Amino acid sequence: MEKDIKKALETRILVLDGAMGTMLQRYKFTEEDFRGERFKTFEYPLQGNNDLLSITQPHAIGEIHAKYFEAGADIVETNTFSSTRIGMADYHLEDLVYELNFESAKIARKVADEFTAKQPGKPRFVAGAMGPTNRTASMSPDVNDPGFRAVTFDDLRLAYTEQIEGLIDGGVDLLLVETIFDTLNAKAALFAIEEVKAARNLDIPIMVSGTITDASGRTLSGQTAEAFLISISHIPLLSVGFNCALGADQLLPYVKRLSNQSPFYISAYPNAGLPNHFGEYDQTAEEMQALVRKYLEEHVVNIIGGCCGTTPEHIALIAEIAQTFPPRQVLASSLS
């Protein structure tokens, strides 16, 4: 599929899906729903482990993927944001990691293939979502011990390797290392990807997406947009971009800075504005469409989508305008 996605990116702006968590909230799943039959007697609580729903409520995950494809998405992300040994430790489900990734990828693959079969001229792609974990490799969680680390590079590398194996075996087209707040964590993920690629003698496109955490314009570990780009540019990436934390209007300046410097395709999937006092996102699909239009008018993106608070309604309006603009131009030599 690699050539297909590169071919598609040469001719048009591709649309990424919206939020998985926002959509799952609509189902109002209970503890019993999260457990399903298989985990009925599991001794620890499981509600809130959205990734587990790929095993216990696979129909819901498939429905959400289908809704995003129907809205016009070209790429959906697997339901695997926290599917690493580190992320699953909170739920005592570390041994489930390979299965979670494999099953999540399989669900998305099946739905993508169904849509591609109906519309061969618009192939649908599956991105294996690899979140940042809930630990940071470059900073101490203990203010009294700056040298302490809650996780090592090797811990992360091994955790990501297990995730990558499951995603690839499940049939993803590309890997998406996303919501990066600590570039050292991302480097462990990228190192693991390169190791798996070499061991399997395969080439799989890689998307990388960082997150600017506040108005300082830096990642949580302190990097500017330019520093973030430089520190991952040694890997042959398909795309680099930003997602989460900010709404489309706040994120645009940082995406522009990447666009001005990057030899790779550029992605952006902002939140539906900023959360209100209840942690909910109020920005409507129409409001977000108007803000995303600026990205397209300024030709700074090749892949556009939505993060927290976005729904198929948001993605439908983004897809509607994305097809009316040409993609950001990338020098062919820089992507060879």
Side-chain angles (χ1 to χ4, degrees):
M1 274 289 194
E2 181 188 4
K3 284 189 170 53
D4 291 352
I5 195 161
K6 285 188 174 177
K7 199 171 165 187
L9 281 163
E10 285 167 16
T11 58
R12 59 194 176 91
I13 294 170
L14 296 190
V15 176
L16 190 68
D17 62 2
M20 174 62 75
T22 302
M23 292 299 291
L24 284 171
Q25 285 171 10
R26 296 181 175 184
Y27 288 82
K28 296 184 166 44
F29 285 133
T30 62
E31 175 71 30
E32 288 68 34
D33 296 321
F34 275 87
R35 289 173 175 272
E37 277 303 309
R38 181 164 161 191
F39 299 95
K40 211 167 192 173
T41 58
F42 194 70
E43 58 186 306
Y44 300 101
L46 295 174
Q47 191 166 5
N49 186 354
N50 285 349
D51 294 14
L52 183 61
L53 295 171
S54 293
I55 292 174
T56 57
Q57 303 292 339
H59 64 283
I61 305 303
E63 278 175 7
I64 292 168
H65 289 323
K67 281 175 181 163
Y68 279 123
F69 280 137
E70 281 163 7
D74 299 283
I75 308 165
V76 296
E77 300 175 55
T78 54
N79 181 40
T80 53
F81 187 82
S82 301
S83 293
T84 58
R85 195 161 279 270
I86 295 165
M88 284 298 126
D90 289 351
Y91 296 95
H92 305 271
L93 291 174
E94 296 95 323
D95 293 343
L96 214 62
V97 166
Y98 176 88
E99 186 183 351
L100 281 170
N101 286 282
F102 180 79
E103 291 301 328
S104 294
K106 224 168 75 171
I107 294 166
R109 174 81 276 142
K110 181 173 181 289
V111 180
D113 289 347
E114 286 167 4
F115 274 84
T116 300
K118 284 188 278 188
Q119 250 183 312
K122 184 180 165 74
R124 304 309 213 280
F125 303 99
V126 176
M130 299 170 59
T133 81
N134 51 11
R135 298 186 199 166
T136 172
S138 66
M139 294 187 295
S140 172
D142 183 354
V143 291
N144 298 311
D145 186 1
F148 174 72
R149 294 294 180 269
V151 70
T152 67
F153 186 90
D154 267 351
D155 291 337
L156 288 163
R157 178 179 65 85
L158 292 170
Y160 279 124
T161 298
E162 200 172 10
Q163 180 173 44
I164 294 158
E165 298 275 5
L167 290 170
I168 291 175
D169 289 348
V172 300
D173 299 303
L174 55 141
L175 295 168
L176 168 56
V177 182
E178 65 168 332
T179 323
I180 298 160
F181 62 84
D182 180 353
T183 308
L184 194 55
N185 286 37
K187 280 176 171 283
L190 294 169
F191 191 83
I193 292 170
E194 292 304 305
E195 282 191 319
V196 173
K197 280 167 63 175
R200 292 181 172 225
N201 191 27
L202 98 138
D203 198 15
I204 185 163
I206 307 164
M207 292 176 65
V208 162
S209 185
T211 189
I212 297 291
T213 48
D214 55 36
S216 70
R218 293 171 181 267
T219 64
L220 189 65
S221 54
Q223 286 188 312
T224 61
E226 291 86 352
F228 169 68
L229 175 64
I230 289 164
S231 61
I232 54 167
S233 288
H234 60 293
I235 299 286
L237 302 174
L238 177 73
S239 69
V240 64
F242 287 127
N243 73 292
C244 207
L246 302 174
D249 48 349
Q250 295 98 348
L251 194 63
L252 179 57
Y254 309 113
V255 174
K256 280 164 79 168
R257 279 156 66 176
L258 280 186
S259 180
N260 291 337
Q261 303 282 334
S262 174
F264 312 116
Y265 290 114
I266 296 292
S267 71
Y269 50 115
N271 291 346
L274 297 174
N276 61 26
H277 295 303
F278 303 104
E280 295 165 346
Y281 293 85
D282 301 320
Q283 191 171 84
T284 66
E286 290 76 15
E287 287 167 342
M288 191 171 182
Q289 183 193 50
L291 295 171
V292 164
R293 181 180 285 276
K294 293 174 187 169
Y295 288 68
L296 309 177
E297 288 172 345
E298 300 196 33
H299 306 297
V300 294
V301 288
N302 304 94
I303 301 167
I304 187 80
C307 204
C308 303
T310 58
T311 65
E313 292 77 23
H314 291 80
I315 297 306
L317 292 191
I318 288 171
E320 183 184 283
I321 55 165
Q323 62 185 355
T324 66
F325 286 89
R328 165 184 172 270
Q329 288 304 300
V330 181
L331 292 174
S333 60
S334 64
L335 288 169
S336 57

